[in-house]
Amino acid sequence: PQRESRVKMKRGCLNLKTSHKIVLSSIAQYLTIGLILLFSANALHEMLHLKLLVTLGGDGYIVLKGSLAETVITVMPSNGTVVAAAGLFVALIYSLIAYVGYWKKYTELYASLLPTLAVQLAYGIFETIFWELNTPEVYIWATVVAVTSTLIGFFASIYLLYKSLKEKLSLSFSKQG
């Protein structure tokens, strides 16, 4: 009986090493993809504002403010609401990428997209509705919407990543045990 427990313990250690590799690899992929998409989302968002603006007959430029960008409108086209919808287009693009990740069973990809996708969707809706109001209250509420939606997306992504890791680890242990 004592000898059997030593063997089981050695197998357990082997599984523990394997599980650490799986967990660390998954977290590294999640963080890398998530950070790249998070930082590229603002640039994509503002580029879409500018593209929509110019396409509809307006004009403007993009200004860098620290690590963020902002589109400055110099000539407003007749349909400004469409120009404000850049966040919705970014959310659509990220949704398509997330769908591919889900379809390919690449949890780290679609989970890491959720915080950015959520903020772009929520902020895109908010920005489209309130684009004409240029008051401090609107900026405060826009920040509340952005932070809240990002947190909801983040917690949803952590839950998906946890479920995926739990499944991967149970498969890893069953293959080795």
Side-chain angles (χ1 to χ4, degrees), residues 64-86:
L64 293 176
K65 291 186 174 185
S67 63
L68 297 175
E70 183 179 312
T71 302
V72 176
I73 299 171
T74 55
V75 177
M76 178 60 81
S78 59
N79 190 352
T81 305
V82 176
V83 173

Side-chain angles (χ1 to χ4, degrees), residues 112-146:
S112 65
L113 276 161
L114 283 180
T116 307
L117 196 155
V119 73
Q120 288 295 321
L121 180 61
Y123 187 76
I125 292 169
F126 185 87
E127 189 175 42
T128 302
I129 294 170
F130 297 107
W131 73 275
E132 287 182 316
L133 301 175
N134 197 8
T135 63
E137 293 83 16
V138 170
Y139 290 116
I140 290 169
W141 281 108
T143 304
V144 169
V145 166

